[in-house]
């Protein structure tokens, strides 16, 4: 086993053993605690950054006192705690439950914002970032979902205090999705699937205009149309490139 992976495995196992021991000692006290005590414990844990312990208290509250005085805030706190624990599956499950049960809640804009954040989190790969590995070709489903979440927030709640940040994140997601399409188009080029490559590159220009991948999309379209003998389409692609990227190497070679 690689030394780095082995070290990570040892740390994770140690943390799991410690967590199990701690959880067993906490359970009897939680069963006897009142909702006020449980919620106070959960808030203290969150303030200290101990989100695993906070989740245990919040889940105990949610299951034992589903109609208690803190029921809605407990659900909101669970969403945030799962996000901090990098547990997108539990985060999305709780978010969707909250939206279903509280569609007109005053903080529903925050919940949609958190849905976008959780989906963005699901799209990220910690070890790829740590090891500087480019995986822009990975499945974009979570990124697409995050974009939809932020788009819904911006359109439905334009005055939300989260709207401005959501718009910034949407631009990041557009860049990521455009780059994914470029990777797909480049794969088609390797397979000599020139028509598919041109269509995919055109999708970048139409679906994600103004992204850094636009220049590469025009390069792919020019190459693909050239291989297909579509001279007029190639000339059009080069014309668009000249208007937007006049220093591109393809134009210099002309």
């Amino acid at each position: 086993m690689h030394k780095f992976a082995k070290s990570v495995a040892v740390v994770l196992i140690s943390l799991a053993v410690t967590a199990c021991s701690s959880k067993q000692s906490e359970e009897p006290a939680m069963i006897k605690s009142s909702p006020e005590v449980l919620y106070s414990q959960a808030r203290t844990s969150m303030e200290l950054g101990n989100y695993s312990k906070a989740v245990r208290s919040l889940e105990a509250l949610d299951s034992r006192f589903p109609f208690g005085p803190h029921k809605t805030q407990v659900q909101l706190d669970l969403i945030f705690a799962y996000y901090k624990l990098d547990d997108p599956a539990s985060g999305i499950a709780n978010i969707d439950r909250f939206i279903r049960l509280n569609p007109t809640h005053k903080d529903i804009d925050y919940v949609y914002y958190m849905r976008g954040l959780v989906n963005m989190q699901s799209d990220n790969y910690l070890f790829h970032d740590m090891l500087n590995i480019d995986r822009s070709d990975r499945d974009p489903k979570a990124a697409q979902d995050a974009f939809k979440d932020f788009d819904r927030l911006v359109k439905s709640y334009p005055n939300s205090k989260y709207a401005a940040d959501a718009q910034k994140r949407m631009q990041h997601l557009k860049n990521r999705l455009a780059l994914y399409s470029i990777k797909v188009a480049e794969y088609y080029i390797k397979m000599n699937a020139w028509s598919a490559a041109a269509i995919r590159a055109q999708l970048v220009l139409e679906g994600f205009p103004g992204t850094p991948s636009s220049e590469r999309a025009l390069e792919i379209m020019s190459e693909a149309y050239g291989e297909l003998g579509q001279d007029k389409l190639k000339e059009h692609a080069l014309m668009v490139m000249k208007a937007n990227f006049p220093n591109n190497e393809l134009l210099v070679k002309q």
Side-chain angles (χ1 to χ4, degrees):
M1 182 183 290
H2 192 278
K3 288 184 179 180
F4 177 76
K6 188 175 182 180
S7 299
V8 172
V10 170
V11 171
L12 292 177
I13 291 171
S14 299
L15 289 174
V17 171
T18 302
C20 287
S21 176
S22 175
K23 184 176 180 180
Q24 289 174 355
S25 64
E26 289 174 1
E27 284 179 354
M30 284 190 178
I31 292 174
K32 298 177 182 178
S33 297
S34 67
E36 288 73 18
V37 170
L38 279 174
Y39 188 67
S40 177
Q41 291 174 346
R43 293 302 307 175
T44 299
S45 296
M46 291 184 72
E47 289 168 5
L48 294 173
N50 190 343
Y51 294 102
S52 295
K53 187 174 181 179
V55 162
R56 291 194 290 275
S57 297
L58 291 168
E59 286 181 339
L61 259 173
D62 196 38
S63 60
R64 290 180 56 210
F65 306 102
F67 305 106
H70 306 292
K71 62 177 182 179
T72 305
Q73 189 59 47
V74 165
Q75 293 172 25
L76 291 171
D77 288 345
L78 269 173
I79 290 169
F80 183 74
Y82 280 126
Y83 170 69
K84 298 298 288 187
L85 287 173
D86 196 4
D87 185 352
S90 297
I92 291 295
N94 278 272
I95 287 169
D96 288 348
R97 182 183 69 155
F98 188 96
I99 293 172
R100 185 176 67 255
L101 297 176
N102 310 278
T104 59
H105 191 273
K106 64 181 180 64
D107 294 321
I108 196 68
D109 59 328
Y110 165 77
V111 178
Y112 280 118
Y113 176 69
M114 287 302 301
R115 198 178 199 283
L117 290 184
V118 172
N119 273 316
M120 279 191 76
Q121 185 180 68
S122 184
D123 185 58
N124 292 329
Y125 289 75
L126 174 62
F127 292 116
H128 291 162
D129 293 337
M130 289 174 61
L131 300 175
N132 198 28
I133 298 174
D134 179 17
R135 282 308 313 274
S136 52
D137 60 343
R138 64 186 181 271
D139 184 356
K141 175 66 167 58
Q144 292 169 341
D145 288 343
F147 187 89
K148 291 177 183 176
D149 294 328
F150 291 133
D151 187 53
R152 178 182 297 174
L153 167 63
V154 170
K155 289 179 178 176
S156 300
Y157 309 95
N159 297 321
S160 168
K161 63 181 179 180
Y162 306 104
D165 187 67
Q167 288 179 319
K168 292 178 182 178
R169 292 177 184 277
M170 286 172 69
Q171 185 58 54
H172 169 80
L173 289 164
K174 282 176 66 176
N175 294 344
R176 184 268 194 264
L177 294 170
L179 185 56
Y180 173 78
S181 286
I182 290 295
K183 295 293 185 181
V184 172
E186 290 175 339
Y187 171 76
Y188 286 143
I189 287 176
K190 291 180 181 178
M191 301 299 293
N192 293 323
W194 299 106
S195 180
I199 292 172
R200 195 77 192 202
Q202 186 173 348
L203 174 65
V204 172
L205 297 181
E206 294 178 350
F208 311 107
T211 61
S213 296
S214 297
E215 185 171 7
R216 180 60 182 140
L218 288 166
E219 291 175 349
I220 291 171
M221 291 170 68
S222 175
E223 181 182 3
Y225 289 140
E227 292 290 338
L228 292 167
Q230 299 284 345
D231 294 336
K232 289 186 177 180
L233 290 176
K234 178 180 179 179
E235 289 176 10
H236 179 71
L238 291 172
M239 181 181 69
V240 175
M241 183 181 291
K242 185 176 181 179
N244 293 276
F245 309 101
N247 298 319
N248 186 276
E249 290 183 3
L250 288 182
L251 298 174
V252 176
K253 294 177 183 179
Q254 295 297 310

